[in-house]
Amino acid sequence: MNWTLEVVIVPVSDVDRAKKFYADQLGFTVDHDTVINDEARIVQLTPPGSGCSIVIGKGVIPEMPPGSVKGLQLVVPDLKRAHEELVGRGVEVSEIQVVGQNPRPVPDPLDNVGFVFFADPDGNTWGVQQISSRA
């Protein structure tokens, strides 16, 4: 039996501002924006190519302090290109960092160990790692 992680809740203080950041600046697809009533709303967004989405909202998702999710991670095949895209979309992102050493030869020296980091408007933090091919 497969067990797939498909949704992660990301706590935010302003649903519209967060939706704009994730959709417009990060390029996530808005899967749905469901308003249940004045107090309840669910927005699901998915990174391009991902099998896992994030959910932001109010009233019907678990109560967590905005900005309390740390260390979510995206994986891309080309970190330099991803960094350029984020900068071009106005995301405050770190420079490319190499974290550790590869245990074996890899096609690109950034594979597995190349990262950039950013935060959403509420302070939820993300890392982006390069993996151009998997063993």
Side-chain angles (χ1 to χ4, degrees):
M1 171 182 357
N2 289 336
W3 294 55
T4 60
L5 177 64
E6 301 210 6
V7 174
V8 174
I9 305 296
V10 177
V12 300
S13 60
D14 182 322
V15 177
D16 289 319
R17 178 181 70 176
K19 178 183 173 186
K20 183 174 177 53
F21 175 79
Y22 285 104
D24 297 348
Q25 290 188 266
L26 296 184
F28 287 21
T29 299
V30 178
D31 301 319
H32 61 83
D33 184 342
T34 305
V35 177
I36 298 163
N37 58 46
D38 289 343
E39 300 302 317
R41 178 179 176 194
I42 300 171
V43 181
Q44 180 172 315
L45 304 106
T46 304
S50 180
C52 186
S53 303
I54 64 166
V55 167
I56 59 175
K58 64 178 185 173
V60 292
I61 61 171
E63 189 82 21
M64 296 186 288
S68 62
V69 172
K70 306 295 183 195
L72 292 171
Q73 188 165 308
L74 299 166
V75 174
V76 296
D78 185 337
L79 190 59
K80 291 176 184 170
R81 192 171 113 215
H83 184 265
E84 289 172 5
E85 284 185 26
L86 291 171
V87 169
R89 292 178 176 182
V91 176
E92 289 186 32
V93 61
S94 73
E95 292 301 318
I96 293 174
Q97 300 175 28
V98 174
V99 179
Q101 291 182 305
N102 275 301
R104 62 189 182 294
V106 291
D108 184 304
L110 289 177
D111 281 350
N112 305 315
V113 296
F115 291 84
V116 296
F117 302 95
F118 66 89
D120 75 8
D122 283 291
N124 296 298
T125 63
W126 292 79
V128 182
Q129 177 186 26
Q130 176 173 308
I131 300 178
S132 65
S133 63
R134 297 199 187 254

